[in-house]
Amino acid sequence: MEFTEQEWLKNNVLMSGNAGELWLTGVSGEVSFSLKAEDASVPSSEEISFVLLPDAKGRIHLDMRKILEGTAPFLRSGISEVPDDEFDSVLFLKKFTLTASQGEDSVSISRHVVSGGSPDDGEAEALLSSEYFWTRRPQVAPTWREAEETLCLLPLPDVPGRLCARVYSRMLPPEVISFGPQWDMAPYSEQGMAALLMFNCSGRRVCEAAAAAGYAETVEAYDIIRIDGDAEGRFCQRFIVRDGHVHTFLFRNSLGGYDTIHAGSDRKKSMESESVLIVSGMEEKELKNDHYVSHEECSGYLGSEEEANFWYEFLASDERYIVLDGRRRRIIVEESDSETTENNVKSMTFRWHFAKEPEGFVQKRNVLDEIYIPEEI
């Protein structure tokens, strides 16, 4: 028995949504299969088993896309609620091993898998060859000086890398500055591990790095560039810096990376409650008050179809967070009004609540100074 070589298996890392067909040949009878998902960062594994029969030519056909997407919950490692200043998260990828057994004969194939995919095979190839950032935002996107901003990338397994920022201002020419930490995945690769890296690329952090490098002007825009060894990446991510206040959300995109997105309007809050009552004599008593708080957000003006598509990515995601006081809290989107027409995008609204509702409302406490109350005039 043997698995036939397939083009989509040429990389050590693959995307579940871009997996293809797999054939097991040289089969003479019933074959037992096991699919094992291992998490190298936290020693654990999940395993499923099934049995298949060959066709008249002694072959067994496997649709690996359906198989891997059916095991999507096993593929995800999750992210930290509290962002780190440098590596937001090292997202270790699950290693899947498919084993076919018949008597004493067995064959297996192993790959690291990202739970995600692209409808464009060219884009998938660029992601897996570490050319593109794993983002669904427009390549030229707005950001805000105090907002969190993240970018994911797939590091090369045996080449150290780093990030740089090319900063732009009104008065000075563009300048490339050192930005963010360096990485070297070789020690992990030697242990059979692979990961996506998620970086803090906020405007605040870039501005601080620029000031530390002696850049005297206010940064109005910046490019994030990856450097692998001495080779500069061809595809940067550009951010146009804006002032103002926004509400920041983080979500898992369809590629399998994480993106930040910003809502630019005032947030509406409302509470819904339902009491459980008991009647004793002529008096009603509340046994329980079930309630939850929901919030309504508006994206703000969307100036292009690309921006609208980015919001559709957020609304279609099944893993979303809001960033509050430097902490991420998971949310559930209840409903949305996201209808757009060609050449008339405007904005989108959506309603959400916390996945885990906090107990009560926290009021801030400070040491208060004495106050002076003037005499009545």
Side-chain angles (χ1 to χ4, degrees), residues 7 24 58 108 164 169 209 249 284 309 328 351 375:
E7 178 69 15
L24 180 67
S108 62
C164 287
S169 68
F249 297 85
E284 288 185 330
N309 289 339
R328 303 175 185 134
R351 181 178 293 274
E375 295 181 2

Side-chain angles (χ1 to χ4, degrees), residues 143-154:
T143 189
W144 282 259
R145 294 191 190 279
E146 299 303 320
E148 181 181 350
E149 207 70 73
T150 61
L151 271 179
C152 288
L153 60 83
L154 178 66

Side-chain angles (χ1 to χ4, degrees), residues 21-86:
E21 296 180 337
L22 187 62
W23 289 90
L24 180 67
T25 59
V27 181
S28 58
E30 185 179 89
V31 177
S32 298
F33 291 87
S34 68
L35 185 64
K36 187 176 184 181
E38 297 176 278
D39 189 340
S41 61
V42 180
S44 64
S45 64
E46 302 282 350
E47 187 171 352
I48 59 174
S49 301
F50 52 95
V51 176
L52 294 175
L53 292 170
D55 61 16
K57 296 181 179 180
R59 304 174 304 174
I60 293 179
H61 171 256
L62 299 167
D63 187 334
M64 292 306 297
R65 175 176 177 174
K66 288 184 177 179
I67 292 173
L68 291 175
E69 289 187 339
T71 58
F74 300 148
L75 293 174
R76 303 179 182 180
S77 299
I79 60 173
S80 168
E81 281 197 352
V82 183
D84 186 273
D85 285 339
E86 294 190 345

Side-chain angles (χ1 to χ4, degrees), residues 259-317:
D259 275 321
T260 36
I261 196 168
H262 312 285
S265 68
D266 293 334
R267 177 182 300 149
K268 297 179 182 179
K269 180 192 290 186
S270 62
M271 175 184 283
E272 297 183 17
S273 63
E274 183 177 353
S275 297
V276 179
L277 304 176
I278 185 172
V279 179
S280 178
M282 298 296 292
E283 182 181 2
E284 288 185 330
K285 293 183 179 180
E286 287 185 297
L287 292 181
K288 187 178 181 182
N289 186 339
D290 290 323
H291 69 276
Y292 78 94
V293 176
S294 63
H295 307 265
E296 185 175 307
E297 303 272 358
C298 177
S299 65
Y301 175 72
L302 303 176
S304 68
E305 187 177 357
E306 282 187 321
E307 290 186 48
N309 289 339
F310 190 38
W311 274 98
Y312 282 132
E313 276 277 322
F314 168 76
L315 295 174
S317 175

Side-chain angles (χ1 to χ4, degrees), residues 107-124:
V107 291
S108 62
I109 188 169
S110 296
R111 293 294 186 275
H112 291 93
V113 183
V114 180
S115 178
S118 169
D120 184 336
D121 289 339
E123 180 185 47

